[in-house]
């Protein structure tokens, strides 16, 4: 360390302090909070201090990729490579302008990849959670949709059986429209069924009246035929008796009168038998 002392705008003398580069290792270790590797290299690329295994690597040249950049006097940059002990790292270097010493911070790739893995795991967990939530919402919506549709199916079956149908509103406009249509159709079917039953009952009642009237007419017709036949038979009997009495009053022949008397008795017996029937 070389510091000029300026008095009255003039450099009167210089203060200089020198120390071993290895003494920087203690300061580097005290400030290191991770497993990152911190190294210091001179302008020729030789390792002056190192936070790990300094006794083994101090004095050795840096890796070829870093050595080229250091010897090219690059101010700063990033190198993707390996350390002297073979660990894959991403190395960030910066060269001090006065001393031309280069500070190198080597970050293990596992450290760099850890946030990506963590983010990937978080993203995967988030995706799984979203999928689960989506499945739950889909299941809930499917049930919410399926139940009204099942109610419509049941209502349609009851409508087909002629039963009364009343579909409770579900909150789904399309389903509720169909349910209302089924309810109206059920009401109309019931009304038509009631009217049809009344008409059928009236038709049956009218047919029964007609049947009774027909039977009564048939009875009267049969009775008329019966009475007509009886009257015809009695008329024949009366004619026989009348003729026999007239002949008996005009004839003096006893044998004829006897035959006419027997004929009259047979006619009377026939009339008695007819009355009995």
């Amino acid at each position: 360390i070389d510091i000029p002392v300026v008095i009255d705008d003039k450099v009167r003398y210089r203060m200089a302090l020198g120390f071993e580069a290895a003494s920087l290792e203690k300061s580097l270790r005290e400030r290191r909070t991770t497993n990152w590797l911190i190294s210091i290299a001179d302008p020729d690329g030789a390792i002056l201090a190192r936070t790990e295994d300094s006794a083994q690597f101090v004095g050795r040249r840096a890796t070829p990729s870093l050595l080229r950049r250091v010897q090219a006097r690059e101010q700063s940059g990033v190198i993707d490579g390996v350390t002297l002990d073979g660990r894959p790292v991403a190395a960030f270097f910066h060269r001090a302008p006065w001393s031309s010493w280069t500070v190198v911070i080597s970050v293990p790739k596992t450290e760099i990849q850890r946030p990506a893995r963590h983010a990937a795991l978080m993203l995967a967990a988030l995706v799984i959670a979203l999928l689960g939530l989506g499945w739950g919402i889909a299941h809930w919506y499917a049930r919410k949709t399926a139940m009204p549709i099942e109610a419509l199916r049941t209502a349609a079956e009851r409508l087909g059986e002629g039963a009364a149908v009343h579909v409770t509103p579900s909150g789904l406009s399309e389903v509720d429209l169909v349910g209302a249509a089924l309810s109206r159709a059920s009401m109309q079917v019931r009304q038509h069924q009631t009217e049809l039953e009344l008409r059928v009952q009236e038709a049956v009642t009218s047919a029964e009246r007609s049947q009774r009237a027909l039977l009564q007419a048939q009875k009267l017709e049969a009775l008329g035929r019966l009475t007509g036949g009886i009257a015809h038979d009695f008329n024949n009997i009366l004619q026989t008796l009348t003729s026999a009495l007239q002949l008996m009053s005009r004839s003096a022949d006893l044998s004829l009168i006897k035959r006419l008397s027997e004929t009259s008795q047979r006619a009377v017996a026939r009339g008695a038998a007819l009355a009995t029937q």
Side-chain angles (χ1 to χ4, degrees):
I1 299 175
D2 185 6
I3 301 176
V5 179
V6 180
I7 300 176
D8 295 332
D9 297 328
K10 294 182 179 181
V11 178
R12 298 299 182 178
Y13 53 88
R14 307 179 71 87
M15 296 182 61
L17 174 66
F19 58 90
E20 293 184 358
S23 62
L24 294 174
E25 294 178 359
K26 181 180 178 180
S27 177
L28 295 177
R29 291 194 188 98
E30 290 176 351
R31 286 162 175 75
R32 189 178 69 161
T33 58
T34 64
N35 60 349
W36 295 0
L37 176 62
I38 304 176
S39 304
I40 299 177
D42 65 9
D44 295 327
I47 302 300
L48 301 178
R50 198 171 189 267
T51 54
E52 294 181 10
D53 301 328
S54 60
Q56 180 180 356
F57 294 103
V58 167
R60 293 178 56 179
R61 289 293 184 92
T63 58
S65 56
L66 177 61
L67 185 61
R68 288 193 300 271
R69 307 285 289 274
V70 170
Q71 291 177 347
R73 299 295 189 271
E74 292 187 20
Q75 185 69 28
S76 61
V78 180
I79 300 173
D80 189 10
V82 295
T83 61
L84 290 174
D85 52 4
R87 285 181 291 177
V89 294
F92 303 85
F93 68 92
H94 180 79
R95 185 171 61 86
W98 288 353
S99 65
S100 296
W101 285 7
T102 302
V103 178
V104 184
I105 300 177
S106 300
V107 182
K109 288 189 176 180
T110 55
E111 292 288 329
I112 298 175
Q113 295 170 354
R114 183 179 294 114
R117 288 196 299 269
H118 181 70
L121 291 176
M122 291 293 293
L123 181 60
L126 179 61
V127 170
I128 292 174
L130 291 176
L131 288 175
L133 179 62
W135 181 86
I137 294 174
H139 182 67
W140 171 80
Y141 186 76
R143 289 191 60 186
K144 184 180 179 181
T145 306
M147 291 177 65
I149 292 176
E150 179 65 19
L152 290 180
R153 187 188 66 81
T154 303
E157 291 180 353
R158 289 177 56 83
L159 179 62
E161 296 172 355
V165 172
H166 177 70
V167 180
T168 304
S170 62
L172 298 176
S173 57
E174 295 81 359
V175 175
D176 290 343
L177 288 175
V178 177
L182 287 176
S183 298
R184 290 195 300 271
S186 173
M187 186 180 299
Q188 294 176 356
V189 168
R190 296 288 294 176
Q191 291 177 352
H192 295 333
Q193 185 176 2
T194 302
E195 293 177 358
L196 181 60
E197 289 176 354
L198 290 175
R199 292 182 182 180
V200 170
Q201 185 177 359
E202 291 176 356
V204 170
T205 303
S206 177
E208 290 178 350
R209 287 198 299 266
S210 300
Q211 183 68 18
R212 287 195 297 269
L214 177 61
L215 291 176
Q216 186 66 20
Q218 290 176 348
K219 290 179 181 179
L220 292 177
E221 181 182 2
L223 183 60
R225 291 180 180 178
L226 178 61
T227 54
I230 293 173
H232 178 71
D233 291 342
F234 271 107
N235 186 46
N236 292 335
I237 293 172
L238 291 175
Q239 287 182 357
T240 300
L241 291 174
T242 301
S243 298
L245 290 174
Q246 289 178 356
L247 291 175
M248 289 173 63
S249 64
R250 295 179 180 178
S251 175
D253 187 356
L254 293 177
S255 58
L256 177 60
I257 294 173
K258 184 178 179 180
R259 289 195 299 275
L260 292 174
S261 176
E262 292 174 352
T263 301
S264 298
Q265 290 177 355
R266 289 195 296 271
V268 172
R270 183 179 176 187
L274 184 62
T276 301
Q277 293 176 0

